[in-house]
């Protein structure tokens, strides 16, 4: 492998600023971070940038639900994302936001260059409009039946069952996820990027790029189906950048989201003095790589390189695609406690347990990986604690107690040391190829050899023998030398443990080239435990906490548009409810009530003050159902209420019950009403 210095720009897909980071997301960011750390450890100039994807209707609606400005929402979510990434050791050189001056500037530049070169066209289209919400619906706010395979409950832009992409107007039996109504078709002028203009270029790029076979095969399918014009505009209201020459139209989130890679790097260059053009200009000799999930291949391997080429920027050197995460062989599930947020994980377990386990599972293919919680505990305990850390703990005490912390000038088994040094090139090749699982297997095989050596030489026996001090010194010094080599090889995966090991070894910051040398006669510090075994009780507690986590506003909001977020396996569409007995259910008194009056609550975004007629009495209830319909439209409607709920004192008054409503994956609220003929006061059975 060439060791000539390289200049590399690396990105991960942008997490959507509409909810927390979870362990499914982390597959991508940990994979990227390990690869970047390896490149830096090798001495290459490597810059790792990312950003929050901060535009789109879902963010606008969630901010509206919370009663705050979208800018306040994305600032808060962005800070939470970065805190979680940092805690897991993901070391971005720059973390930014797509809602930034740099992104507006570059998105405008790319659009204008594409427009001036004839790659943008305008035409009127029929578009889904929600007559209740009074807004055009983004693709992901429409669900229905796939026009190709017939799968139900699919989004308006692509089918998760067969992978087909289509226009929302092609969807069968469409419905709005906001209100549940059938969308109306209304005409609106939109702007389109003429992707077909770049078919020849894309095929040439495909031939030149070292893309994974699965990516190449999928691209061939898209070419065979024909490249279609891409709608790059959205109608107001929309949180994003207004298109310069199209008032009331906004850049679709998928236009400015990948541009966020360049914008984040521009922000980095502005504060560090790195030359932006030397990495991003069309004639750049640097390398640029994108790590993404398999669900967003279409955007990164067709639209993105075509946009870059048409605007005079360099093309990606390659796009590295990974699969999804399952837990114990199944999709992540809140009901099973396996939909685990990054923060919940960190509340219970060391981040490097997960870094190592993911590394041990990851390869260069697009295969899904599984977090088997039993295997996770066994592998971490056996490999990291039982093999690697155990080497240092078995040898360091003798060096400290018997030899004042000074290693021997000459080791005991130079052939074994040479064998570990020679293994460095193969491990480096595995890291470079993103075959992290192979690298971990090779490293742990070396660790086994080192432990076998220590078992054979038995320093604990030598320490008790007369005239064996020199031999004890050499054996334990060799053990420490070998431990140092293993730490160099593991450093991209275990940066926190490596830092503590460097402190223990008093050797300064380790680099990859240091595997070619030995410490020799050198003083180390007293050994402290570097990593503890996983306590099964903590894993159990993490699962229980994940079950107990209440739905966040993000979980109640509509699924985001397929913005440039990391690919993850989605949670189950509905969590299994906790079971109750028939006697417990029988204690709930459900009654039909008629809305006698309804008023918006001043100072509350969601609450409606209801006066409910139960036939023999009236009740005051405060309900968070303003999204269902205007308060005045509720008057006269029949609803179902919990009549025996204890009164609850609220800031606005006392609520004397609860009305029943339903909500799905979108933010829409749907009142549950009895059929015609029901009368106030009737018991619901």
């Amino acid at each position: 492998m060439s060791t000539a210095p390289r200049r590399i720009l690396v990105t991960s897909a942008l997490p959507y600023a509409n909810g927390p980071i979870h362990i499914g997301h982390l597959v991508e960011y940990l994979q990227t971070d390990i690869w970047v750390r390896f490149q830096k450890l090798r001495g290459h100039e490597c810059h790792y940038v990312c950003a929050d994807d901060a535009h789109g209707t879902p963010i606008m609606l969630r901010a509206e639900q919370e009663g705050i400005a979208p800018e306040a929402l994305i600032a808060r979510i962005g800070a939470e994302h970065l805190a979680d990434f940092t805690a897991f050791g993901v070391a971005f050189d720059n973390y930014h936001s797509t809602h930034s001056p740099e992104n507006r500037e570059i998105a405008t530049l790319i659009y204008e260059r594409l427009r001036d070169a004839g790659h943008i066209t305008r035409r009127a289209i029929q578009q889904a409009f929600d007559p209740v919400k009074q807004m055009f619906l983004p693709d992901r706010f429409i669900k229905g039946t796939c026009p190709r395979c017939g799968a139900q409950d699919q989004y308006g832009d692509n089918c998760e069952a067969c992978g087909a992409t289509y226009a929302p107007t092609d969807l069968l039996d469409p419905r709005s996820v906001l209100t549940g109504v059938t969308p109306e078709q209304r005409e609106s002028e939109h702007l389109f990027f003429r992707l077909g203009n770049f078919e020849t270029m894309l095929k040439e790029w495909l031939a030149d790029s070292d893309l994974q076979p699965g990516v190449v095969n999928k691209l061939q399918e898209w070419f065979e189906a024909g490249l279609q014009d891409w709608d790059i505009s959205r109608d107001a209201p929309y949180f994003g950048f207004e298109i310069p020459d199209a008032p009331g139209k906004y850049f679709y989130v998928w236009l400015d989201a990948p541009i966020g890679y360049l914008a984040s790097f521009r922000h980095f260059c502005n504060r560090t003095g790195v030359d932006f053009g030397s990495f991003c200009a069309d004639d750049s000799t640097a390398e640029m790589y994108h790590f993404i999930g398999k669900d967003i291949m279409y955007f990164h391997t067709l639209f993105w390189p075509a946009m870059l080429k048409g605007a005079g920027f360099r093309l990606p050197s390659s796009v590295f695609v990974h699969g999804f995460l399952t837990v114990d062989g199944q999709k992540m599930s809140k009901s099973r406690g396996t939909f685990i947020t990054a923060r919940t994980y960190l509340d219970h377990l060391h981040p490097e347990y997960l870094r190592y386990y993911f590394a041990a599972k990851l390869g260069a293919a697009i295969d899904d990986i599984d977090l088997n919680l039993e295997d996770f505990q066994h592998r971490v305990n056996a490999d990291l604690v039982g093999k690697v850390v155990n080497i240092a703990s078995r040898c360091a005490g003798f060096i400290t107690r018997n030899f004042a912390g000074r290693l021997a000038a000459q080791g005991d088994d130079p052939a074994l040391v040479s064998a570990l040094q020679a293994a460095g090139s193969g491990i480096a090749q595995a890291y470079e190829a993103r075959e992290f699982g192979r690298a971990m297997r090779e490293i742990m095989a070396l660790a086994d050899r080192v432990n076998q050596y220590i078992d054979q030489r038995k320093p604990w026996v030598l320490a008790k023998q007369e005239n064996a001090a020199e031999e004890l010194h050499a054996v334990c010094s060799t053990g420490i030398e070998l431990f140092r080599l293993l730490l160099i090889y593991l450093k991209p995966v275990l940066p926190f443990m490596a830092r503590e090991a460097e402190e223990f070894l008093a050797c300064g910051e380790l680099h990859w080239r240091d595997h070619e040398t030995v410490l020799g006669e050198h003083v180390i510090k007293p050994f402290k435990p570097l990593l503890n075994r996983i306590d099964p009780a903590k894993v159990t507690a993490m699962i229980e906490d994940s079950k107990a986590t209440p739905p966040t506003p993000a979980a109640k909001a509509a699924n985001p548009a397929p913005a440039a977020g990391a690919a993850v396996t989605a949670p189950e569409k509905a969590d299994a409810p906790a079971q109750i007995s028939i006697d417990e259910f029988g204690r709930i008194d459900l009654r039909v009530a008629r809305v006698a009056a309804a008023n918006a609550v001043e100072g509350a975004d969601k609450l409606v003050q209801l006066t409910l007629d139960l036939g023999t009495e009236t009740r005051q209830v405060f309900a968070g159902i303003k999204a269902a319909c205007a308060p005045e439209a509720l008057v006269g409607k029949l609803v179902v209420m919990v009549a025996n709920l204890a009164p609850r004192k609220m800031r606005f008054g006392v609520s004397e019950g609860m009305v029943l409503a339903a909500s799905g994956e979108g933010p829409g609220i749907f009142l549950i009403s009895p059929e015609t003929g029901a009368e106030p006061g009737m018991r619901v059975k």
Side-chain angles (χ1 to χ4, degrees), residues 41 69 100 220 290 358 361 383 503 505 508 518 599 675 679:
L41 207 60
S100 66
Q220 295 292 2
H290 303 303
F358 279 176
K361 289 276 190 170
D383 289 359
E503 178 70 18
L505 294 170
V518 294
N599 299 286
E675 293 184 356
E679 294 291 337

Side-chain angles (χ1 to χ4, degrees), residues 132 594-602 604-612 621 623-637 639 671:
V132 176
R594 189 184 305 278
V595 180
N599 299 286
V601 178
E602 186 175 350
D605 296 317
K606 305 176 186 177
L607 287 181
V608 176
Q609 181 183 8
L610 301 174
T611 301
L612 300 179
V621 171
I625 59 172
K626 194 173 180 181
C629 57
E632 58 268 21
L634 293 170
V635 177
K637 285 184 176 292
V639 297
L671 285 173

Side-chain angles (χ1 to χ4, degrees), residues 140 191 201 232 305 324 417 464 519 546 670:
R140 302 287 278 192
L191 289 80
M201 181 280 295
I232 62 168
F324 296 151
V417 173
K464 298 176 182 179
L519 289 172
S546 297
F670 309 98

Side-chain angles (χ1 to χ4, degrees), residues 265-322:
F265 187 56
R266 169 69 64 81
H267 184 259
F268 170 78
C269 293
N270 289 344
R271 66 181 178 81
T272 61
V274 172
D275 182 15
F276 177 85
S278 67
F279 280 86
C280 301
D282 191 34
D283 60 353
S284 171
T285 58
E287 303 167 55
M288 182 169 76
Y289 300 100
H290 303 303
F291 284 76
I292 64 163
K294 63 183 179 181
D295 59 337
I296 53 177
M297 282 195 298
Y298 193 77
F299 299 95
H300 281 82
T301 57
L302 289 178
F303 297 136
W304 178 230
M307 285 168 52
L308 289 170
K309 185 65 175 179
F313 286 90
R314 58 88 42 80
L315 300 180
S317 303
S318 194
V319 177
F320 299 143
V321 183
H322 64 81

Side-chain angles (χ1 to χ4, degrees), residues 52-305:
D52 260 22
D53 183 3
H55 287 157
T57 304
I59 286 171
M60 178 185 73
L61 292 175
R62 177 174 174 182
E64 179 184 303
Q65 289 177 335
E66 294 191 18
I68 60 176
E71 291 82 358
L73 172 66
I74 63 177
R76 186 187 79 215
I77 297 294
E80 292 171 358
H81 285 178
L82 184 57
D84 288 346
F85 286 138
T86 301
F88 270 95
V90 180
F92 300 112
D93 292 294
N94 199 71
Y95 195 80
H96 206 32
S97 168
T98 58
H99 193 64
S100 66
E102 296 87 357
N103 205 35
R104 182 189 294 272
E105 175 189 343
I106 300 176
T108 299
L109 175 65
I110 288 178
Y111 166 74
E112 290 177 342
R113 287 182 176 178
L114 293 174
R115 178 200 62 195
D116 295 345
H119 301 307
I120 303 293
T121 186
R122 296 179 183 228
R123 65 174 180 267
I125 64 169
Q126 291 292 315
Q127 191 177 2
F129 184 86
D130 188 321
V132 176
K133 196 69 176 175
Q134 285 292 300
M135 62 179 288
F136 285 105
L137 292 170
D139 301 344
R140 302 287 278 192
F141 281 74
I142 310 167
K143 280 194 168 184
T145 301
C146 172
R148 176 181 289 183
C149 73
Q152 297 181 348
D153 206 35
Q154 298 303 311
Y155 290 112
D157 58 350
N158 75 286
C159 176
E160 294 179 339
C162 71
T165 58
Y166 40 72
T169 50
D170 296 331
L171 202 64
L172 306 178
D173 304 319
R175 70 181 188 279
S176 166
V177 300
L178 295 179
T179 62
V181 301
T182 300
E184 297 177 359
Q185 295 300 313
R186 297 193 181 182
E187 188 172 273
S188 176
E189 184 180 69
H190 274 229
L191 289 80
F192 291 81
F193 173 52
R194 304 177 70 178
L195 181 62
N197 291 359
F198 296 88
E199 182 171 351
T200 300
M201 181 280 295
L202 288 168
K203 288 181 176 178
E204 292 174 351
W205 177 69
L206 172 62
D208 293 339
S209 298
D210 185 23
L211 297 173
Q212 293 142 294
V215 177
V216 173
N217 294 337
K218 197 65 183 177
L219 281 170
Q220 295 292 2
E221 290 180 21
W222 288 325
F223 286 131
E224 291 171 6
L227 302 182
Q228 305 298 314
D229 289 353
W230 178 41
D231 189 345
I232 62 168
S233 62
R234 292 296 183 267
D235 292 280
Y238 195 81
F239 182 60
F241 295 143
E242 192 169 21
I243 300 175
D245 58 356
K249 307 289 182 181
Y250 290 78
F251 287 130
Y252 174 39
V253 63
W254 258 110
L255 182 127
D256 68 58
I259 295 172
Y261 300 143
L262 304 186
S264 183
F265 187 56
R266 169 69 64 81
H267 184 259
F268 170 78
C269 293
N270 289 344
R271 66 181 178 81
T272 61
V274 172
D275 182 15
F276 177 85
S278 67
F279 280 86
C280 301
D282 191 34
D283 60 353
S284 171
T285 58
E287 303 167 55
M288 182 169 76
Y289 300 100
H290 303 303
F291 284 76
I292 64 163
K294 63 183 179 181
D295 59 337
I296 53 177
M297 282 195 298
Y298 193 77
F299 299 95
H300 281 82
T301 57
L302 289 178
F303 297 136
W304 178 230

Side-chain angles (χ1 to χ4, degrees), residues 453-608:
Y453 161 75
I454 295 172
D455 288 340
Q456 292 168 356
R457 302 296 282 121
K458 296 181 175 56
W460 53 92
V461 174
L462 293 174
K464 298 176 182 179
Q465 295 178 349
E466 294 184 10
N467 303 318
E470 184 176 345
E471 186 177 358
L472 173 67
H473 197 190
V475 168
C476 291
S477 297
T478 298
I480 297 299
E481 293 279 14
L482 296 170
F483 168 77
R484 170 180 165 273
L485 292 174
L486 294 174
L487 253 294
I488 292 172
Y489 299 151
L490 284 169
K491 187 173 180 179
V493 178
L494 306 174
F496 299 137
M497 193 170 96
R499 192 178 308 143
E500 292 185 31
E502 288 166 347
E503 178 70 18
F504 153 62
L505 294 170
C507 61
E509 185 178 355
L510 290 169
H511 300 279
W512 194 265
R513 62 179 178 272
D514 293 329
H515 81 279
E516 299 172 353
T517 64
V518 294
L519 289 172
E521 192 173 5
H522 173 83
V523 177
I524 62 173
K525 295 182 179 180
F527 177 77
K528 298 177 182 178
L530 298 174
L531 202 66
N532 296 318
R533 292 180 179 273
I534 295 177
D535 182 351
K538 291 186 176 181
V539 176
T540 301
M542 176 183 70
I543 297 301
E544 290 303 313
D545 280 2
S546 297
K547 290 179 183 177
T549 302
T552 64
K556 295 177 181 177
N559 286 319
V568 296
T569 296
E572 293 178 329
K573 286 185 165 50
D575 294 329
Q579 291 184 343
I580 62 173
S581 70
I582 189 66
D583 291 333
E584 289 174 299
F585 179 78
R587 289 196 291 271
I588 303 173
D589 186 8
L590 299 176
R591 299 279 175 169
V592 176
R594 189 184 305 278
V595 180
N599 299 286
V601 178
E602 186 175 350
D605 296 317
K606 305 176 186 177
L607 287 181
V608 176

